[in-house]
Amino acid sequence: MTEKFKEVKESEVVMSELMLPSHSNFNGKIHGGYVLSLLDQIAFACASKHSRAYCVTASVDTVDFLKPIEIGELVTMKASVNYVGRSSMVIGIRVEAENIQTGEIKHCNSSHFTMVAKDNNGESLAVPGLILKTDDDIRRFAKSIKRIGMKKKRKQEFHDTDFISEEYLHIQELENVKIEK
């Protein structure tokens, strides 16, 4: 690692691509899987730019599809490093689609990818810290800390072995489910 700290803006990446019919699903909208592929590419670029190392996707923390993307729209993705740990980085990505005929821009997707820097032997590599200069930088860093805490809690609950099914029989009254034991 050559730099001890970097400003958020030093690692920002912007990528644009015209959406083609080959990117669409059976409903004529851009396929979510294709968007996920683009998100992974820009997360890699942003994390690698920050760390100056090869990076791998450790997790996709959130992907919120807010509005569909249409064929012929120009999609622009904006990625920045929101948080850094020792070797991990949370990359925040905003996706906007522009109707190139009308100029209308819509926010279509927000996502957070956790990327980890690796050396040539596949070992985790320390990354530069972040210099937070704006209120947005601070807000994104703080929200990332909160999101990481929630993720740890979900992971712990998922692996909890003290599950007693009788305690959950009431869910059939609240949800669209029928329990038959």
Side-chain angles (χ1 to χ4, degrees):
M1 177 174 69
T2 57
E3 297 176 74
K4 194 160 177 109
F5 290 92
K6 293 174 86 172
E7 292 182 26
V8 172
K9 68 179 180 179
E10 292 180 71
S11 303
E12 290 176 337
V13 176
V14 177
M15 190 167 90
S16 295
E17 184 171 333
L18 184 64
M19 294 296 105
L20 303 174
S22 60
H23 304 140
S24 68
N25 59 24
F26 294 112
N27 199 28
K29 309 296 183 195
I30 300 306
H31 194 284
Y34 183 72
V35 175
L36 284 170
S37 173
L38 294 175
L39 292 170
D40 194 50
Q41 289 176 42
I42 197 167
F44 170 84
C46 184
S48 295
K49 188 174 179 182
H50 181 79
S51 64
R52 295 290 175 215
Y54 178 76
C55 294
V56 297
T57 305
S59 70
V60 180
D61 302 320
T62 58
V63 178
D64 296 321
F65 292 98
L66 305 172
K67 294 182 180 168
I69 299 171
E70 306 291 336
I71 295 169
E73 290 183 324
L74 180 65
V75 168
T76 300
M77 294 173 287
K78 302 170 185 176
S80 65
V81 179
N82 290 358
Y83 171 88
V84 294
R86 190 191 76 73
S87 62
S88 66
M89 297 154 279
V90 173
I91 309 300
I93 308 165
R94 179 182 173 93
V95 179
E96 297 175 338
E98 179 180 358
N99 180 314
I100 56 176
Q101 294 175 326
T102 67
E104 179 188 350
I105 296 174
K106 60 186 175 184
H107 178 202
C108 296
N109 186 301
S110 288
S111 56
H112 298 91
F113 279 53
T114 299
M115 308 296 287
V116 177
K118 298 286 186 175
D119 65 15
N120 292 335
N121 297 318
E123 299 296 320
S124 295
L125 189 65
V127 300
L130 277 181
I131 298 170
L132 306 176
K133 286 196 151 191
T134 69
D135 286 343
D136 278 343
D137 293 347
I138 296 167
R139 177 183 52 80
R140 289 175 181 144
F141 193 88
K143 286 194 171 197
S144 292
I145 292 170
K146 186 174 184 178
R147 198 176 303 104
I148 290 166
M150 291 171 18
K151 181 179 170 184
K152 286 179 183 176
K153 185 177 179 184
R154 278 193 314 272
K155 191 174 184 179
Q156 182 181 0
E157 288 176 358
F158 184 77
H159 294 292
D160 187 5
T161 58
D162 296 332
F163 180 81
I164 301 169
S165 63
E166 285 75 25
E167 292 178 14
Y168 294 90
L169 292 177
H170 69 281
I171 64 173
Q172 66 185 350
E173 299 165 10
L174 305 172
E175 303 293 334
N176 188 16
V177 66
K178 182 178 180 182
I179 299 173
E180 295 180 351
K181 283 182 77 171

